Amino acid sequence: MRKIKITLRVLALLIFGLLFHYVLPQHDVVKITSTEIIRTDFSALNRIFYAQADSGATEQPTRDLRLINTQKQKTFLLGFIPRDVSTVMVYRNEDTGWIWPPYFKFDSSDLQAEAANLAKGDEWVVITHYGWRIRWASIYPNAIAVRTVPGPDVSIIPWFNIVFFVFLMVAILFIRAMWRQFRERSIDPLLDTAGHHVDEVQAGMAERKGRISRWLGTWRKKDNTRTPSE
């Protein structure tokens, strides 16, 4: 039973960890090389990784997809330490709307125009995005914002993620303290009362059983005294 509990906890932590890694904003230092629009047919495998159609458009099984092609600077420690090695990275550019994830992005056309303008120069930029790049399933991270930086060696501190996890830890500790108080004030007294009732019922049953045993014992004595005279 203990191993099952540990397995379930590890599985829950893994699921929440993957969810946070996918949804929370990430920052990449890149150089935009080009932009393009491709026609995409979604499959049952990758459809859940794409946002809805642009605001004001009708959702279709196939639609145009804006892409931003970049040269990405590789890093250590989740982006804190830049490296002298770069690779290619492709981002999609979709509205998130009012639903999920809650970025409330409605300016994908403006962002595409800004990215196309930056592709003409030789500037390094920071792309804020969420999601994963899974090549074999044609899944791209969704770009949220773009801003220029002095060079590829800039360090980006993810303040939002830091504040989010601090708030999450405080909320978990607060809920845990409230639950312990609620259990001590409401649940534990009920359990103690129920335990006392169970003890009283068991004691009453034991007493009745003892009375019946004593009553049967008196009849056995009477039978034993009658046997010699007969």
Side-chain angles (χ1 to χ4, degrees), residues 11-222:
L11 183 61
L13 288 175
L14 180 62
I15 292 174
F16 279 105
L18 291 175
L19 177 63
F20 289 146
H21 187 266
Y22 181 85
V23 173
L24 290 177
Q26 302 177 40
H27 309 278
D28 294 339
V29 178
V30 303
K31 182 182 293 185
I32 299 177
T33 56
S34 64
T35 61
E36 61 180 325
I37 299 177
I38 62 174
R39 196 68 177 175
T40 302
D41 297 318
F42 300 108
S43 66
L45 178 64
N46 64 4
R47 182 64 187 88
I48 60 173
F49 292 96
Y50 285 86
Q52 61 182 5
D54 290 347
S55 300
T58 303
E59 186 66 38
Q60 299 290 340
T62 178
R63 57 181 166 87
D64 290 337
L65 182 66
R66 300 182 183 92
L67 296 179
I68 301 175
N69 304 316
T70 68
Q71 177 186 351
K72 176 185 173 183
Q73 192 75 9
K74 289 188 175 181
T75 59
F76 290 113
L77 297 176
L78 301 176
F80 285 98
I81 302 177
R83 297 171 58 186
D84 294 332
V85 181
S86 62
T87 184
V88 296
M89 175 61 70
V90 181
Y91 303 87
R92 60 189 166 95
N93 180 19
E94 294 183 297
D95 287 347
T96 60
W98 300 96
I99 309 177
W100 180 262
Y103 284 95
F104 309 112
K105 178 188 173 187
F106 300 95
D107 61 345
S108 57
S109 298
D110 297 339
L111 183 62
Q112 192 75 5
E114 185 178 359
N117 184 50
L118 291 170
K120 298 177 182 178
D122 195 34
E123 296 180 279
W124 288 91
V125 301
V126 172
I127 288 188
T128 302
H129 68 90
Y130 72 90
W132 302 323
R133 177 70 171 107
I134 305 177
R135 291 174 174 82
W136 58 268
S138 297
I139 297 170
Y140 309 92
N142 191 11
I144 301 299
V146 175
R147 63 182 177 89
T148 59
V149 291
D153 56 348
V154 65
S155 297
I156 308 299
I157 300 177
W159 291 112
F160 179 86
N161 294 349
I162 294 173
V163 173
F164 173 81
F165 282 111
V166 170
F167 175 80
L168 182 64
M169 292 300 299
V170 172
I172 291 175
L173 294 176
F174 180 73
I175 293 174
R176 183 172 179 268
M178 290 183 60
W179 167 250
R180 293 183 63 180
Q181 290 184 359
F182 175 76
R183 186 180 64 185
E184 292 175 358
R185 296 178 180 179
S186 301
I187 297 179
D188 289 346
L190 290 176
L191 293 177
D192 292 338
T193 303
H196 289 315
H197 284 309
V198 170
D199 293 339
E200 292 176 357
V201 170
Q202 290 178 348
M205 292 179 63
E207 184 178 357
R208 294 189 185 93
K209 185 177 180 181
R211 291 177 181 175
I212 294 173
S213 299
R214 289 193 297 270
W215 180 73
L216 292 176
T218 58
W219 282 98
R220 293 192 188 95
K221 291 179 180 179
K222 290 180 181 180

